[in-house]
Amino acid sequence: MTLASVMRRAARLLLVLGAISIVTFGLLAVMPGDPALALLGPGATDAAVAEVRASLGLDRPLIVRYGDWLLSALGGDLGTSYQTGQPVVTSLADRFPLSIELVLVSQIVALAVAVPVGLWSARRPGGIVDRICSVGGLGLLSLPMFALGSLLVYVFAVTLKWLPATGIPSFGDDPLGHVQGLILPVLSLAGWQFAMYAQILRGEARTVLAEDYIETAVLKGLPTRAILLRHTLKPASLSLASLVPITTGELIGGAVVVETLYALPGVGRLMVDAIAARDLLVLQGAVLAVAVVFVMLNLFADVVVRWLDPRIRSHHAG
Amino acid sequence: MPVEQGTPSAATTVTSPDPAPAGTPARRGAGRGLGPGALVALGWLAGLSVLALLGDALPFIGDPSRMTSLPYEPPSSAHPLGTDEIGRDVLSRVVYAARVSLPIAAGAVAVAMLVGGIIGLLTGFLRGTVDEVGQWLLDVLVSFPPLILAMAVTAFLGRSPVILAVILGLLFVPPAARLVRTHTMATSTREYVVAARVLGASRIRIVFREIVPAVVPHLLAYAVLAASAVIVIEGALSFLGLSIPPPTPTWGGMITAARDGLAEAPHVLLVPVAVLFATVLALNGLADTLRSRLVETR
Amino acid sequence: MTLLTLTGLNVSIADGTDRIHAVRDVGMTIARREIVGLVGESGCGKSTLSRAAVGLRPAGVTVSGSVRLDDTELLDLDHRTLAAEVWGRKVGFIPQNPMGALNPVLRIGHQLTEHMRRHLGIGAREARTRAADALAATGIPAPVAALDKFPHELSGGMRQRVAIAMALACDPALLIADEPTTALDVTIQAQIIDLLVTLCRDRDMAMLLVSHDLPLVLQVADRVDVMYAGRVVERAPSTGLAERRAMPYTAALLDSVPTLSGPQPVRLPAIGGTPPDLRAAPRGCAFAVRCGHADAECATREPTLQPVRGDDHLTACLRPLEAKTPVIGEDETAPETAADRAVPVLRATDLVLEYRVPGRPSFRAVDGVSLELHEGEILGLVGESGCGKSTLGRALTGLIRPAAGTIEHPAGETADVQLIFQDAKGSLNPRRSILDVVAEPLLYAGRGTTRERREEAASLLASVGLDPEVLGRRAPRRLSGGQAQRVAIARALAAKPRVLVCDEPVSALDVSVQAQIINLLMDVRTATSVSILFIAHDLAAVRAASDRVAVMYLGVVCEIGSAEEVLGAPRHPYTKALVASVPGQGGRLRASLSGEPPAPGDPSSGCRFQTRCPEAVPECAITRPPLVDLGPTQAVACHVVAPSRQATGVSPS
Ligand SMILES: Nc1ncnc2c1ncn2[C@@H]1O[C@H](COP(=O)(O)OP(=O)(O)OP(=O)(O)O)[C@@H](O)[C@H]1O
Ligand code: SF4
Ligand code: SF4
Ligand SMILES: [Mg+2]
């Protein structure tokens, strides 16, 4: 990539980040009713309300308030939770690791199963593997994560009692318990991802397998394994990588659901609790943080696709 | 979330670009008959809509919030699908929950297709600055994970069905707009559109007579897929307790509430899960059929 | 010594619920070092046969009969054994489409070495050295550097050389080349064919050369097999086949191909109709419905391959032709056309056309072209791909706005120029009936009621030889390529144009259909006095169709004149090379030009052709040669052939 294209990309990223900050800030600003009252919750004293109003600077013009808010956000100050009195940034830092672990592990599990299944069913379109994969995939794609998760709880926690239904000890305290506690949440998250990846890969691999260059490779006498893994997977995985924005978005949403379902202390749970308690600064901070992470991940995926695909790579250099 | 899939092609050998057409019987009767799977799906969706519409005018269906029996009753003749944690009729509740999900899905899809369709058509046809600005706006919209944005907005703005439909609809504006833009651009460089330009067709005529008819079928196929995705997201919101507040029944809310009685009364979980699953599956299956039909007939 | 023996080979392909019998009862032998050509029109089963001949049986394809390579029966081997022992090792395969035949995301070096390492059991380093040697043998400049490139970084010709190197890498005894040059420009095609033949001779390889181009095959193959509807219908040594052909189909194929030599026919002999549907086995001779020589027996008895003139000449025909009997088409005298009066209807002066790509310098596709189109004439425009032919054509229709220069319409308006596309089917809206498609221009012009428009469309359809009753209500999807091109012509005529720009109107069509369309265009010209700009890369087709011819190279016109002058006695070095590269003029086909055109839009000074010109002089690198008149109609842009000093004072016509 040339310097110019890096600059263009960076400029675009800045614009998007700016817009994210405006939207997040705007959430509080356009909220119907008195934000101070909402922040403090019902039953707040008039004095407290007045104090919060002053500290929020609600009497000042919107643009000035936005400037202030942005400056302190950039400085790592997203306000304080009225519920716990903890700085929002601190609670975010506490909660992020578990969410990231959850998302990463389920992503890996989903991909590890989807790649062989997708390739295998593309190899013989209409064959048994292909049919199972397409019917099963459609089914899994149609089973929302909270429904799948509830079913898993019913089967493995309530009926079979193999795995815990809620909670997770930290890895340091109880490694085995941590892994056990992770299994159901990861399965709930990975189910949909797996189906998505397998379906896309299957479609892409089929298209690739019909390309002339596959026939060339076959008639070079390459073994089937090399045809599938080298000549098919690499081109087909390009579209898999370009799916990342969609699947990560889905995963982050899924993490909220799964953390609530299994009572796991992650960012998603933090947000749901904050909404229930109307702890709006926490919610605002979490939304901002999640959106920034999300945008960065997408940018990263985009860069990876560009790097993987030599056609795009040199197109941008040329 | 829905994605435009690549077109799988079954051919592994070279196919002639110009199969002898004289006397060739029409291949695979394109356009006629939807196949049994799609018919079942349509039947399910129609049946569910009718049930939801008629509501307690039907036998077996009563007021969904009345406690008519003991909690966790198994299915019986009085309560064909049993009762829930506080003794309400599960059948009535799943049917009434459709009154929430289906209209919200319909509204959201209407918003998404209308707004996304117009943006996509404008950006794809006009290109240039309009396109740049449009793309940037869409970039902003997609820079929030969908569920997070929906959660945040409903938390701050409230949770009426209209707000839900609009916000869920907005989530699907970017993909709808991109889809329409892509097809608009592809169609306007297609040779038959170029031919129409040379033959003297006006711009308006090109947009409405050549491009729109080519794009709309793709948008419709996508709309079905989007409807299923909206139902899932709305379900997640109600599962989290962030959609229409109780006592109005929702599928997600019923699934959450079933949690505590799983051991003794699994039907309280299984019924809403099954109904939700069947609905989403029906929509996904229909979308698949529509899409492959589009690919086949080009 | 026989290398490959096919006996009773049948191939059928599952197509939904039907089966297509793509190859029926074919027997064939290929001897060591023999070059066998396999020709026939699209869909006759050439590709299917060539794959079955190496034992390839993809899902849905059923092969029966026998395929023996040396002493091994390939149909008894499973896929795994074939891959390990036969493919890439004993037979090399050269695919048709060099753009699609190399994996876009793997480096050339990887694709060249992976099968070498497997078949020859050598290490990565040695394989790389050998790969570089193989590339060098195919004439790739800087082979070592090429190893680290990706396919898209190479031109089509270079990619085809890589594909050849890949096929040769393990020294196979047999090469299968399926249309190895179809996607390439004619000068590159000559290079590649030359290379293939030389390699076969040098390395004692046999080759099955599959092609639809009969003149090309006749020129390079030892023996030719002509296929029709899944069968071999004629087999003969290629020398003298043009005169000795016995099967009416072969004769028709030979006659309908336009040539560069010999008298120019007024109409091309064309084969009517289309090949049969291969789903059901034909009852009599599959060619009977199109055959001008058929009698009653032909419709009931299917002929088998029998010797006709000597043991090495076989044909499947009940009534073989005598040597050299014309089968189709009669000579006519050329009708008077308006072209003879030279009234200009369209004039381009110093036209410059550019494409703007955001973030990159604009790219100049046409760089100072002046042209005049006369009433009722057909002006052929030839040149290799990327030289700016289509851009120029589109600018003349008003689709592209010139960056500089002017386009004048001395006799009318812009809307008087209509366009015909290469992909005729793609140019018809798939959602309209054919009648409505043809009526489109009338609708846009706001003429008449729907009924009247449809009536006019029906008569236009009839005028291009289509039956409006049968086809009028159909969707364009169900037309053949030739029919679709007729519909497109009818539609263009509905706009009552003065000028018709035809952009490669026949290059997607089989020769027999190509001849029909060229004839139709000539008829249309005679009937309506429309002027036609006939853009094509096929010189022979252009010669058959055109009164005058302009030759383009990299955005400039380098020679223009009457068809006889430019193609019969070319003066510009580039035109000479182009003409010499066309197969079918006797003698061995030789590459007359080395190298490839530089990237289009390269803003170097001097003559555009200097990098490949065999006659270049120092002056060529400095100044751009202007078009200089050599006679009343011919003009050439070249310092050597037509020095511009001499030309001063000669007034342009
Ligand atoms: N995968 C396939 N599915 C269905 N029909 C096929 C398939 N491959 C080939 N055919 C049909 O089999 C017949 C022979 O095709 P084949 O590709 O061998 O012809 P060809 O002579 O090589 O044509 P071309 O000159 O167009 O390459 C045609 O009728 C073609 O439509
Ligand atoms: S067998 Fe009859 S129909 Fe067939 S090619 Fe010979 S003469 Fe023509
Ligand atoms: S001007 Fe020079 S380089 Fe150009 S064609 Fe003539 S001789 Fe060749
Ligand atoms: Mg072929």
Side-chain angles (χ1 to χ4, degrees):
Chain A
M1 263 187 278
T2 58
L3 189 65
S5 83
V6 171
M7 296 291 285
R8 253 202 316 279
R9 209 149 272 281
R12 213 173 157 117
L13 176 71
L14 275 183
L15 278 173
V16 168
L17 286 177
I20 289 179
S21 72
I22 292 177
V23 172
T24 324
F25 170 78
L27 287 175
L28 254 184
V30 302
M31 190 175 70
D34 186 342
L37 197 60
L39 275 180
L40 290 177
T45 63
D46 284 353
V49 170
E51 192 186 319
V52 169
R53 300 202 66 159
S55 76
L56 286 177
L58 286 180
D59 39 348
R60 290 177 301 151
L62 209 58
I63 180 89
V64 178
R65 276 155 55 198
Y66 170 67
D68 279 355
W69 175 80
L70 187 62
L71 275 182
S72 44
L74 287 177
D77 175 12
L78 290 170
T80 312
S81 160
Y82 91 90
Q83 215 185 352
T84 61
Q86 237 187 359
V88 172
V89 176
T90 317
S91 5
L92 284 177
D94 283 349
R95 301 295 195 100
F96 252 105
L98 182 63
S99 297
I100 290 176
E101 181 184 0
L102 199 57
V103 167
L104 266 185
V105 173
S106 44
Q107 188 81 302
I108 292 169
V109 169
L111 271 176
V113 189
V115 168
V117 170
L119 279 182
W120 196 256
S121 55
R123 206 170 89 95
R124 294 221 176 283
I128 302 226
V129 183
D130 186 35
R131 282 188 200 183
I132 293 178
C133 173
S134 80
V135 172
L138 192 62
L140 262 184
L141 279 179
S142 307
L143 196 56
M145 287 184 195
F146 56 93
L148 174 62
S150 304
L151 289 179
L152 289 176
V153 168
Y154 172 59
V155 175
F156 292 102
V158 175
T159 311
L160 298 173
K161 298 200 167 50
W162 287 353
L163 293 162
T166 53
I168 185 168
S170 82
F171 189 81
D173 294 346
D174 177 4
L176 187 65
H178 185 82
V179 171
Q180 281 181 335
L182 217 50
I183 292 180
L184 288 185
V186 162
L187 284 184
S188 323
L189 270 182
W192 187 91
Q193 301 281 315
F194 154 74
M196 189 75 191
Y197 286 139
Q199 290 239 320
I200 298 292
L201 193 62
R202 164 172 162 266
E204 285 301 313
R206 263 204 210 193
T207 318
V208 171
L209 283 170
E211 296 279 355
D212 288 351
Y213 57 78
I214 296 296
E215 187 178 53
T216 314
V218 168
L219 287 176
K220 269 170 26 179
L222 296 184
T224 305
R225 187 171 20 90
I227 304 260
L228 286 179
L229 291 184
R230 242 177 286 143
H231 284 264
T232 311
L233 182 58
K234 196 167 175 204
S237 62
L238 282 177
S239 50
L240 218 55
S242 59
L243 265 186
V244 165
I246 291 168
T247 50
T248 348
E250 201 69 26
L251 262 183
I252 293 177
V256 175
V257 166
V258 165
E259 286 168 11
T260 310
L261 179 65
Y262 295 97
L264 306 178
V267 183
R269 186 73 200 276
L270 180 72
M271 294 169 81
V272 175
D273 290 345
I275 293 175
R278 312 242 8 110
D279 197 348
L280 296 183
L281 284 182
V282 172
L283 179 61
Q284 190 187 36
V287 169
L288 183 67
V290 170
V292 170
V293 169
F294 181 57
V295 167
M296 293 309 207
L297 277 178
N298 291 347
L299 182 75
F300 178 70
D302 194 36
V303 171
V304 169
V305 172
R306 266 152 212 286
W307 177 79
L308 270 180
D309 190 340
R311 284 160 299 188
I312 305 186
R313 210 193 304 166
S314 71
H315 177 80
H316 278 257
Chain B
M1 265 257 249
V3 209
E4 272 280 291
Q5 284 193 28
T7 4
S9 125
T12 41
T13 34
V14 193
T15 353
S16 153
D18 192 7
T24 311
R27 292 200 172 187
R28 285 179 213 99
R32 275 179 297 110
L34 276 172
L39 286 181
V40 172
L42 271 180
W44 168 264
L45 293 172
L48 190 66
S49 312
V50 169
L51 283 183
L53 256 170
L54 296 180
D56 56 11
L58 291 165
F60 292 119
I61 294 186
D63 182 347
S65 21
R66 246 188 52 222
M67 290 163 256
T68 48
S69 168
L70 294 173
Y72 295 140
E73 286 273 308
S76 65
S77 59
H79 301 287
L81 297 177
T83 62
D84 71 358
E85 70 281 359
I86 49 176
R88 296 173 297 194
D89 181 49
V90 172
L91 175 60
S92 307
R93 288 181 66 74
V94 269
V95 167
Y96 269 80
R99 283 190 169 187
V100 176
S101 277
L102 299 186
I104 288 184
V109 168
V111 168
M113 300 306 124
L114 213 64
V115 180
I118 291 172
I119 295 182
L121 203 59
L122 284 178
T123 54
F125 188 71
L126 297 178
R127 318 283 279 272
T129 321
V130 176
D131 193 22
E132 292 271 323
V133 174
Q135 292 310 304
W136 181 75
L137 280 178
L138 296 182
D139 266 1
V140 172
L141 252 182
V142 296
S143 55
F144 295 91
L147 186 66
I148 304 292
L149 190 59
M151 276 169 61
V153 173
T154 48
F156 284 100
L157 294 186
R159 337 168 181 159
S160 73
V162 173
I163 291 186
L164 275 167
V166 170
I167 181 64
L168 292 179
L170 284 183
L171 291 180
F172 290 86
V173 165
R178 298 235 158 104
L179 179 100
V180 171
R181 175 175 175 268
T182 311
H183 283 287
T184 302
M185 294 200 310
T187 312
S188 38
T189 54
R190 284 286 292 276
E191 300 206 319
Y192 70 84
V193 178
V194 178
R197 276 168 64 196
V198 182
L199 290 165
S202 65
R203 274 161 81 92
I204 301 275
R205 179 160 243 141
I206 290 203
V207 171
F208 289 101
R209 293 282 318 268
E210 312 282 336
I211 296 179
V212 170
V215 171
V216 162
H218 294 274
L219 188 62
L220 286 184
Y222 178 68
V224 178
L225 206 57
S228 103
V230 170
I231 289 181
V232 170
I233 297 193
E234 191 276 328
L237 282 178
S238 51
F239 175 81
L240 296 172
L242 304 177
S243 180
I244 306 296
T248 311
T250 56
W251 292 329
M254 292 174 72
I255 291 175
T256 317
R259 215 26 226 275
D260 300 326
L262 271 186
E264 57 228 85
H267 67 267
V268 184
L269 170 69
L270 296 182
V271 170
V273 165
V275 173
L276 178 61
F277 174 68
T279 309
V280 175
L281 183 65
L283 288 167
N284 281 345
L286 267 185
D288 260 14
T289 313
L290 287 178
R291 234 173 355 177
S292 53
R293 184 63 36 97
L294 278 178
V295 169
E296 246 170 60
T297 55
R298 273 191 298 173
Chain C
M1 245 224 317
T2 20
L3 177 64
L4 183 75
T5 311
L6 313 181
T7 330
L9 195 68
N10 281 287
V11 185
S12 67
I13 303 167
D15 178 41
T17 49
D18 299 323
R19 292 203 77 79
I20 295 174
H21 302 277
V23 173
R24 294 180 297 131
D25 193 25
V26 168
M28 182 193 283
T29 57
I30 300 180
R32 291 192 183 278
R33 287 182 291 282
E34 191 181 23
I35 298 182
V36 174
L38 183 63
V39 295
E41 290 182 286
S42 179
C44 70
K46 307 182 296 289
S47 299
T48 311
L49 174 61
S50 65
R51 277 144 184 90
V54 294
L56 184 64
R57 283 153 286 174
V61 174
T62 315
V63 180
S64 64
S66 152
V67 176
R68 296 190 82 81
L69 181 69
D70 283 326
D71 289 321
T72 323
E73 172 61 54
L74 296 190
L75 296 186
D76 289 344
L77 303 182
D78 62 0
H79 189 100
R80 179 191 292 257
T81 322
L82 283 165
E85 288 166 14
V86 179
W87 299 333
R89 180 176 246 181
K90 292 185 184 153
V91 286
F93 175 79
I94 298 169
Q96 164 166 2
N97 169 9
M99 302 300 159
L102 300 178
N103 195 319
V105 300
L106 299 178
R107 288 181 199 278
I108 303 289
H110 181 95
Q111 300 193 50
L112 261 171
T113 52
E114 52 182 350
H115 60 308
M116 275 196 233
R117 296 176 56 184
R118 173 170 151 92
H119 294 316
L120 307 177
I122 53 179
R125 183 170 298 231
E126 192 188 343
R128 209 177 141 82
T129 322
R130 287 206 190 194
D133 292 346
L135 282 183
T138 59
I140 291 205
V144 177
L147 288 176
D148 289 323
K149 293 197 168 153
F150 286 101
H152 71 270
E153 295 172 275
L154 303 178
S155 69
M158 286 302 154
R159 276 183 241 186
Q160 197 60 304
R161 287 171 195 271
V162 171
I164 293 174
M166 235 152 70
L168 295 177
C170 305
D171 274 319
L174 174 65
L175 270 188
I176 307 275
D178 188 5
E179 309 257 13
T181 58
T182 304
L184 303 174
D185 280 323
V186 49
T187 59
I188 311 291
Q189 161 171 315
Q191 293 172 6
I192 297 286
I193 290 289
D194 203 13
L195 171 69
L196 276 174
V197 173
T198 315
L199 286 168
C200 281
R201 302 288 183 236
D202 291 354
R203 301 184 176 212
D204 290 343
M205 278 186 302
M207 174 161 71
L208 179 66
L209 176 65
V210 179
S211 174
H212 65 275
D213 189 341
L214 188 47
L216 174 85
V217 168
L218 284 180
Q219 207 153 6
V220 297
D222 301 316
R223 193 188 83 210
V224 177
D225 279 20
V226 179
M227 265 187 103
Y228 186 77
R231 274 174 176 264
V232 173
V233 293
E234 180 147 17
R235 166 174 301 157
S238 35
T239 10
L241 179 68
E243 291 77 39
R244 290 159 49 88
R245 79 280 178 286
M247 161 86 184
Y249 176 64
T250 315
L253 264 189
L254 280 164
D255 291 349
S256 57
V257 184
T259 55
L260 270 187
S261 46
Q264 187 169 344
V266 176
R267 292 177 67 80
L268 286 170
I271 319 176
T274 42
D277 187 4
L278 295 178
R279 260 167 273 255
R283 273 212 298 131
C285 170
F287 189 57
V289 287
R290 304 172 75 191
C291 180
H293 202 62
D295 68 3
E297 198 190 357
C298 299
T300 51
R301 195 155 72 83
E302 187 167 25
T304 53
L305 215 51
Q306 302 291 340
V308 266
R309 303 189 233 290
D311 284 348
D312 58 352
H313 189 159
L314 302 109
T315 188
C317 177
L318 301 173
R319 311 185 56 223
L321 302 172
E322 295 302 310
K324 213 51 194 174
T325 329
V327 270
I328 40 177
E330 305 280 285
D331 274 350
E332 302 167 24
T333 44
E336 239 352 70
T337 61
D340 305 330
R341 296 197 307 274
V343 182
V345 288
L346 187 66
R347 183 184 300 126
T349 318
D350 298 325
L351 207 58
V352 175
L353 302 169
E354 291 179 344
Y355 288 110
R356 270 171 244 285
V357 186
R360 278 198 262 177
S362 65
F363 153 78
R364 191 166 275 204
V366 169
D367 192 5
V369 164
S370 301
L371 265 187
E372 214 169 60
L373 197 57
H374 302 152
E375 183 180 349
E377 81 165 339
I378 301 185
L379 172 62
L381 183 61
V382 292
E384 292 175 286
S385 68
C387 73
K389 306 185 294 287
S390 297
T391 311
L392 178 60
R394 283 179 191 226
L396 296 181
T397 66
L399 277 172
I400 301 175
R401 199 161 292 156
T406 55
I407 298 173
E408 293 162 90
H409 301 263
E413 295 287 306
T414 325
D416 285 345
V417 185
Q418 283 305 325
L419 184 59
I420 301 287
F421 298 82
Q422 168 171 357
D423 173 16
K425 219 179 274 189
S427 76
L428 310 176
N429 188 325
R431 271 169 297 279
R432 299 214 175 110
S433 75
I434 286 162
L435 266 188
D436 286 343
V437 162
V438 176
E440 260 179 73
L442 306 172
L443 174 75
Y444 301 149
R447 266 197 278 147
T449 62
T450 310
R451 233 310 276 287
E452 289 162 4
R453 289 196 294 260
R454 289 215 173 123
E455 272 163 21
E456 191 169 341
S459 69
L460 281 164
L461 275 179
S463 75
V464 296
L466 296 177
D467 185 350
E469 294 299 313
V470 178
L471 291 174
R473 308 248 159 249
R474 283 208 193 147
R477 176 161 39 93
R478 294 182 50 204
L479 296 174
S480 73
Q483 289 171 328
Q485 202 53 287
R486 286 172 191 268
V487 171
I489 292 172
R491 176 178 64 179
L493 292 179
K496 305 227 178 335
R498 273 176 183 278
V499 176
L500 213 51
V501 172
C502 302
D503 191 354
E504 305 263 7
V506 295
S507 42
L509 305 174
D510 274 326
V511 278
S512 61
V513 186
Q514 174 178 327
Q516 296 169 10
I517 297 295
I518 291 179
N519 286 341
L520 173 64
L521 284 174
M522 295 200 285
D523 291 347
V524 162
R525 181 269 303 268
T526 314
T528 64
S529 279
V530 69
S531 318
I532 296 178
L533 183 69
F534 185 91
I535 303 177
H537 62 268
D538 178 351
L539 298 193
V542 164
R543 174 174 187 257
S546 313
D547 306 309
R548 288 197 302 146
V549 173
V551 182
M552 277 184 85
Y553 187 77
L554 285 185
V556 297
V557 170
C558 54
E559 178 159 7
I560 186 166
S562 75
E564 288 314 312
E565 287 165 348
V566 174
L567 301 177
R571 302 292 301 274
H572 192 280
Y574 175 61
T575 320
K576 285 190 212 161
L578 264 187
V579 169
S581 307
V582 175
Q585 308 177 82
R588 176 166 167 207
L589 184 67
R590 270 191 189 286
S592 50
L593 264 193
S594 56
E596 304 202 351
D602 237 11
S604 53
S605 60
C607 175
R608 292 277 170 135
F609 189 51
Q610 56 179 297
T611 51
R612 298 170 81 196
C613 183
E615 298 176 30
V617 293
E619 166 98 38
C620 305
I622 305 159
T623 46
R624 167 99 83 85
L627 257 185
V628 174
D629 289 341
L630 289 183
T633 47
Q634 195 170 15
V636 168
C638 172
H639 292 307
V640 172
V641 178
S644 45
R645 281 178 302 281
Q646 225 175 302
T648 39
V650 179
S651 67
S653 56

